[in-house]
């Protein structure tokens, strides 16, 4: 398909992310799987989503839950078979749901055949698929540079077989591919085309901004946590490499390509996503989440003004030039209720609905994460032993033997930050293991599952789930939301997020109280005196837009002004 013929379906699509390990277990081994997903397709259809982003389901030894791939063309044993996958994609397509797969090609697993061959000898044909270097120091026993892994420690691992080091920006079981090697780029193109031919509709590209490393791999400037970033994020050849994959694969299909881009600025995002540049369709930026942490780790007091600034900058920055992705949750980030509405207890339902309005009335493609539709929350960690994430386990090893001393402080941080918060099993019902599995799940179930679950929400017309259904249906085809300009109201307000979307004669007025108590609100005069229709309200009763309103805790409204 030529680029001109590509439809921009993703601009009006609502995407639902599935983390397969934690979604639904069909065979009672405590691990979610593809037949489990198939059994829940009607839930997705009913919710009204248009596409699924499926976190990796390829063959993997699971050092990082599938983000370490040992065979890109087959399915992980715990998840099922390629035939199961084919039934799943057909089931999705039959329901009008597209499938976006995860493309993890900054690195492979060390158990991928390419790496196994690569480490055999310096002249192996696969040697140059990875980044091998001699060490420093007399006998080469010091790493080639000072880069650190995103998951802690040096980014280099020494390999006895050939007495050289290989680069791994994540765990040592995730060696980085060498994208400067044209054969590697061809492999990536072939992998993408293989899945497109099987019917997939797009890719979410894992840490795609890391694929091009600076020539000579120079030392990074001093940074206590992450060294080397400036030499491998948005590296020298990244645009050339993306354009090549786009030309030889992505552009030939009617796809959506979204790149994970930690630390990306608006200027860089435009380079990745401006349509005429033919690279990707949109990126995931992290600024709204990172605004609540110091050095990415230490939780700060939530400040709506910072978040509002980020939202507005991205809305204005990409308007008519690029395209935004809209999200508050994914498998790496904690639950949005805990991150964006601290103190929500007692108002969980209102807060979850308010957050949906706050983020998803903006311009861009919405991505929601499994469990967000029922307002799942962070896990109440009590000890290190409950943490499954390889990042936490690595930190724990680094702290050892003092890990128990630091445990209390670490747990405070983990409650706010740990990736496991999002990975607890999907809460389907109040039956054993939250209806996720008939046996003990691979990761703890959040004890609130008896209250917070899909079954309960289905029965309650005012539930978060039913609110999401309304919101998704309202968004569908709504030109003011999809194409409209963005206008912020009272941007410095510390409690209320208020913005408008305009498209020709249509005007949407959005107001969200982020506080867990009542707050006075004054609508702009030109809005308050217009005829208005209440399109969405998280308290569910009729509420005219008056110039002066006392907003209830976490109250949110969307008005159509005429
Ligand atoms: C980003 C993914 O979202 C995360 O889960 C993974 O651990 C790293 N990339 C490494 O692939």
């Amino acid at each position: 398909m030529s680029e001109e013929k590509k439809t921009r379906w993703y601009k009006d699509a609502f995407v639902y992310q599935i983390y397969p390990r934690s979604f639904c277990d069909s065979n009672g081994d405590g691990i979610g799987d593809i037949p489990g997903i198939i059994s829940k397709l009607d839930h997705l259809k009913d919710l009204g989503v248009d596409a699924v982003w499926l976190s990796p389901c390829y063959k993997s030894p699971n050092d990082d839950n599938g983000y370490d791939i040992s065979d890109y063309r087959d399915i992980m044993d715990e998840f099922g078979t390629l035939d199961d996958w084919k039934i799943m994609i057909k089931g999705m397509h039959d329901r009008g749901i597209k499938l976006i797969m995860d493309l993890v090609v900054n690195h492979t697993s060390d158990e991928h055949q390419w790496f196994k061959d690569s480490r055999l000898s310096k002249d192996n044909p696969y040697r140059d698929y990875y980044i091998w270097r001699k060490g420093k120091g007399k006998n080469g026993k010091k790493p080639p540079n000072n880069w650190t892994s995103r998951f802690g420690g040096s980014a280099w691992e020494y390999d006895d077989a050939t007495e050289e080091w290989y680069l791994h920006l994540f765990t040592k079981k995730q060696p980085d591919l060498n994208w400067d090697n044209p054969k590697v780029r061809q492999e990536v193109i072939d992998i993408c085309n293989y899945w497109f031919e099987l019917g997939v509709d797009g890719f979410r590209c894992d840490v795609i901004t890391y694929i091009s490393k600076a020539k000579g791999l120079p030392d990074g400037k001093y940074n206590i946590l992450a060294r080397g970033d400036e030499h491998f994020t948005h590296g020298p050849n990244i645009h050339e490499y993306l354009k090549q994959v786009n030309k030889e694969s992505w552009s030939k299909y009617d796809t959506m390509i979204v790149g994970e881009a930690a630390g990306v600025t608006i200027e860089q995002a435009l380079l990745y996503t401006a349509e005429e540049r033919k690279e990707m369709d949109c990126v995931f930026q992290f600024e709204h989440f990172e605004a609540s942490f110091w050095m990415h780790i230490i939780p700060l007091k939530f400040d709506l003004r910072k978040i509002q600034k980020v939202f507005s900058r991205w809305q204005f920055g990409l308007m008519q030039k690029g395209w935004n992705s809209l999200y508050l949750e994914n498998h790496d980030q904690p639950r949005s209720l805990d991150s964006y509405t601290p103190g929500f207890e007692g108002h969980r339902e209102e807060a979850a609905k308010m957050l949906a309005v706050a983020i998803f009335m903006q311009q861009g493609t919405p991505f929601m994460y499994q469990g967000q539709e029922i307002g799942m929350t962070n896990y109440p960690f009590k000890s290190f032993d409950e943490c499954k994430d390889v990042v936490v386990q690595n930190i724990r090893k680094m702290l050892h033997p003092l890990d128990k001393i630091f445990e209390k402080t670490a747990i405070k941080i983990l409650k706010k930050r740990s990736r496991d918060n999002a990975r607890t099993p999907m809460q389907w019902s109040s039956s054993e293991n939250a209806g996720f599995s008939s046996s003990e799940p691979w990761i703890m179930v959040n004890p609130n599952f008896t209250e917070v679950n899909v079954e309960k929400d289905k029965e309650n017309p005012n539930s978060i789930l039913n609110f999401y259904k309304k919101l998704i249906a309202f968004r569908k085809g709504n030109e003011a939301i999809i194409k409209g300009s963005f206008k912020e109201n009272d941007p410095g307000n510390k409690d209320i997020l208020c913005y408008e979307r305009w498209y020709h004669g249509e005007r949407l007025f959005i107001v969200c109280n982020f506080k867990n108590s009542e707050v006075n609100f004054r609508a702009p005069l030109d809005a308050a005196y217009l005829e208005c229709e209440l399109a969405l309200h998280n308290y569910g009763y009729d509420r005219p837009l008056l110039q002066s309103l006392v907003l209830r805790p976490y109250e949110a409204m969307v008005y159509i002004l005429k």
Side-chain angles (χ1 to χ4, degrees), residues 106 150 169-170 207-213 232-233 238 262:
N106 172 70
R150 303 307 77 185
L169 293 179
F170 294 89
V207 288
I208 197 70
T209 51
Y210 289 180
I211 59 173
S212 169
K213 279 82 177 171
F232 59 75
T233 313
I238 186 152

Side-chain angles (χ1 to χ4, degrees), residues 366-423:
F367 286 79
M368 72 185 298
Y369 179 69
Q370 64 189 43
Q372 196 172 344
E373 74 272 39
I374 50 168
M376 280 178 62
T377 60
N378 281 358
Y379 183 79
F381 289 103
K382 290 200 181 64
S383 93
F384 264 142
D385 298 331
E386 291 171 310
C387 303
K388 304 283 176 204
D389 186 6
V390 64
V391 180
V392 180
Q393 293 310 335
N394 276 356
I395 295 173
R396 189 176 177 181
K397 269 186 222 147
M398 278 156 59
L399 291 176
H400 190 76
L402 302 178
D403 53 338
K404 281 285 165 194
I405 296 178
F406 289 111
E407 186 163 11
K408 247 192 171 161
T409 318
I411 291 297
K412 270 195 193 149
I413 298 174
L414 293 176
K415 279 186 174 162
K416 276 275 187 194
R417 190 67 175 98
S418 166
R419 307 196 299 178
D420 284 337
N421 284 306
R423 300 175 180 183

Side-chain angles (χ1 to χ4, degrees), residues 175-235:
D176 276 50
L177 281 165
N178 173 19
W179 274 67
D180 293 334
N181 180 351
K183 287 188 190 148
V184 167
R185 303 201 295 276
Q186 191 56 52
E187 296 276 11
V188 172
I189 290 164
D190 293 347
I191 291 166
C192 292
N193 289 341
Y194 168 83
W195 288 103
F196 282 135
E197 289 305 314
L198 288 175
V200 314
D201 303 286
F203 286 106
R204 172 267 187 188
C205 306
D206 189 65
V207 288
I208 197 70
T209 51
Y210 289 180
I211 59 173
S212 169
K213 279 82 177 171
K215 203 159 177 234
L217 311 182
D219 274 340
K221 58 176 187 278
Y222 182 74
N223 175 334
I224 190 169
L225 289 176
R227 273 191 305 271
D229 262 51
E230 69 279 24
H231 299 304
F232 59 75
T233 313
H234 320 295

